[in-house]
Amino acid sequence: MIDLKKYNLNQTQHRIIYSISELDIPSMGNIQKLLNISRQALNVNVRDLMSRNLIEEISSDKDKRIKTLHLTKDGNDLNDQINAEQTEKIESIFENVDNDWEQAMKELADEYVKGFKG
């Protein structure tokens, strides 16, 4: 739907940022299970996001082996910007089809498929 390249993100990184913003306990394990990705894929993307100061890792007070991920101010700002763009896009689609839910879903599906093609 939106071009994540302009935010210098890949789809997995966007999903990680969004998951951190929404989960009550955004632990590495919880995010890995939710996104159904390997530990290695998660770690590579988390390290990149950390190096760009978008997320930070904090050890649990109760169990130092458990690390939770949190968005930094820059990460929150980026997440808010992406969410606003997505909301604007969806609202535009609904407006263009006179709020016809079925037609809007078809339009969204077409946009999604177009993203796979190029």
Side-chain angles (χ1 to χ4, degrees):
M1 282 221 352
I2 63 169
D3 183 12
L4 292 174
K5 289 178 188 160
K6 75 180 183 183
Y7 297 104
N8 195 24
L9 292 174
N10 63 43
Q11 186 176 13
T12 300
Q13 290 170 331
H14 174 245
R15 292 172 65 207
I16 290 168
I17 288 172
Y18 180 77
S19 297
I20 292 170
S21 75
E22 295 298 317
L23 287 173
D24 290 332
I25 303 172
S27 70
M28 295 281 280
N30 287 346
I31 293 171
Q32 182 185 356
K33 287 177 193 168
L34 177 67
L35 301 182
N36 193 29
I37 59 176
S38 70
R39 173 174 253 144
Q40 181 181 7
L42 179 64
N43 281 330
V44 165
N45 286 290
V46 163
R47 297 294 166 231
D48 182 56
L49 293 170
M50 288 174 71
S51 74
R52 294 166 44 201
N53 195 37
L54 296 173
I55 63 174
E56 60 188 350
E57 188 177 69
I58 299 175
S59 294
S60 168
D61 291 336
K62 296 177 184 175
D63 185 345
K64 297 294 181 195
R65 296 173 296 172
I66 298 174
K67 294 182 178 14
T68 55
L69 300 173
H70 301 270
L71 297 177
T72 63
K73 180 183 179 334
D74 290 345
N76 268 314
D77 291 347
L78 179 63
N79 189 50
D80 290 346
Q81 188 177 359
I82 292 170
N83 287 343
E85 183 178 343
Q86 287 176 325
T87 299
E88 185 178 307
K89 178 79 170 174
I90 291 169
E91 287 175 353
S92 172
I93 289 172
F94 272 94
E95 190 175 296
N96 289 340
V97 297
D98 294 325
N99 290 318
D100 180 329
W101 188 86
E102 186 175 344
Q103 188 59 38
M105 292 302 105
K106 287 178 184 176
E107 297 282 329
L108 283 168
D110 288 347
E111 287 270 335
Y112 189 72
V113 169
K114 237 190 286 182
F116 281 122
K117 294 179 180 177

